[in-house]
Amino acid sequence: MTSSENSPAGTTMRQIIVLQTGNPDVMQLQDVAKPEPGEGQVRLKVQAAGINFADVLAVKGQYLTPTKLPLIPGGEFAGVIDALGPGVSGFTVGQQVAALTGQGALQEYAVVPVRGLIPVPAGLDAAEAAAFPVSYYTAYITLITLGRAVSGETVLIQGAAGALGTALIQVARALDLKIIALASTDAKLKIAADLGAHTTLNSEREDIVDAVKEALGGQGVNLVVEITGGEMVQRSLRMLAPQGRLMIVGAASGEQASLNPTALMKKNLSVTGVWLTPMLGDRQMVESALAFFGPLIASGQLRPQVGPRYPLAQSAQAFQDILDRKTTGKVTIEPQR
């Protein structure tokens, strides 16, 4: 990443730009003109960007949708509205909001269409607001909208100390589920346990399938939240109880997985893919999720787990640390630092 001095006040700002896909070191810091909002847009002073594995994959050119270049990475962020475009109503200058836009987070100021603004429950600071939408809405649709989890069921959560994992644990606790958390280190497992996981197991164990069943007295789990892909998908299927649900939210290994239809039939298993982006168009789901989350945040039962915080100039390092599995919670980048 190239270096740059802080942009002078007024007409210019700093942003991260990707001109060719690749490892995080393709990300460049540059000075550009501060954008002006157009019809139906607002301009945000970006206070925090929540970084997801999808953002890392987009930079590498490996996400579900093709990366369009040039790219300003980061699709989840929070900030303060500092200018309104023509025709905008219902928002005011100085109002704090979150945004989901697919890209554009890693800059000091961002122009956002009103439809890209996402409501967040009251009581969250900027970093928590930036850490909320993707992880918590994904957890909601994984366990509730699509997973149909009910009180007393068991759920296995992979990557339990990450941004999504910590959100899933908190949502699962609110649903009164029995939680088995998998993570790769003792420190990460402690984070999961402190959040309320009932059983924690090292995901690197060769006997992980047997260990999961032993923890349940020989039974399988009702839901597995699968983020790894590759060979782990087969192991996840073997962990399931009859009529169990495998919720595929990611494939961090980058490896292809195969499914045996006969194995699904024998235990009446179901496999469901989870992708937040199209689900956000369901306003009833969004409103139901907010109604679910509001009281939990107000009571302190749920709080976005903000992990390492980086200045804009260290964005490439933040992305590399995620790739290297060095982080816990939601990594945030703070463009105003």
Side-chain angles (χ1 to χ4, degrees), residues 34-328:
K34 186 186 297 185
E36 294 296 330
E39 184 79 24
Q41 297 178 328
V42 301
R43 185 174 67 201
L44 298 188
K45 183 177 182 180
V46 182
Q47 296 174 315
I51 305 304
N52 300 289
F53 196 68
D55 300 315
V56 181
L57 293 178
V59 169
K60 291 174 68 69
Q62 297 175 359
Y63 189 49
L64 289 171
T65 55
T67 300
K68 296 181 180 179
L69 299 174
L71 170 71
I72 302 169
E76 177 184 32
F77 51 108
V80 174
I81 296 175
D82 93 318
L84 302 175
V88 173
S89 61
F91 295 93
T92 59
V93 171
Q95 181 178 352
Q96 186 170 35
V97 295
L100 280 180
T101 58
Q103 62 172 315
L106 296 188
Q107 51 189 339
E108 291 177 315
Y109 293 85
V111 166
V112 179
V114 169
R115 66 178 180 277
L117 299 178
I118 296 293
V120 294
L124 303 181
D125 64 24
E128 291 170 331
F132 176 81
V134 168
S135 295
Y136 284 84
Y137 281 111
T138 298
Y140 184 90
I141 66 172
T142 299
L143 296 180
I144 299 175
T145 308
L146 300 178
R148 307 179 308 281
V150 297
S151 175
E153 288 192 309
T154 55
V155 58
L156 182 138
I157 298 170
Q158 298 177 9
L164 176 59
T166 54
L168 283 161
I169 290 173
Q170 292 178 78
V171 173
R173 280 301 302 268
L175 295 173
D176 193 29
L177 304 182
K178 183 171 183 179
I179 304 161
I180 299 178
L182 303 189
S184 59
T185 69
D186 289 343
K188 291 179 179 181
L189 291 173
K190 184 179 186 304
I191 290 172
D194 289 346
L195 284 173
H198 300 92
T199 301
T200 61
L201 296 170
N202 192 300
S203 57
E204 305 299 312
R205 292 178 57 159
E206 288 295 325
D207 66 340
I208 190 63
V209 175
D210 292 335
V212 168
K213 291 185 176 181
E214 181 180 348
L216 294 173
Q219 304 299 310
V221 297
N222 301 113
L223 292 96
V224 172
V225 182
E226 165 64 52
I227 67 165
T228 306
E231 173 58 29
M232 192 61 190
V233 172
Q234 297 298 329
R235 296 182 181 183
S236 295
L237 287 170
R238 294 200 297 272
M239 295 173 187
L240 285 170
Q243 300 182 48
R245 290 95 79 196
L246 179 64
M247 312 301 295
I248 298 182
V249 186
S253 68
E255 300 173 359
Q256 294 293 319
S258 59
L259 296 176
N260 182 345
T262 303
L264 301 181
M265 294 164 61
K266 284 182 176 178
K267 294 169 65 177
N268 291 295
L269 305 179
S270 61
V271 179
T272 302
V274 179
W275 189 22
L276 175 62
T277 301
M279 297 294 292
L280 287 173
D282 183 343
R283 301 310 302 174
Q284 182 176 351
M285 183 280 293
V286 172
E287 292 171 4
S288 296
L290 281 172
F292 174 82
F293 288 128
L296 295 173
I297 290 175
S299 66
Q301 297 178 65
L302 184 151
R303 205 79 190 178
Q305 301 298 294
V306 177
R309 305 182 184 205
Y310 299 78
L312 190 65
Q314 294 180 12
S315 295
Q317 186 62 57
F319 277 49
Q320 189 62 53
D321 288 348
I322 292 173
L323 271 176
D324 294 340
R325 301 170 69 186
K326 292 181 178 179
T327 65
T328 59

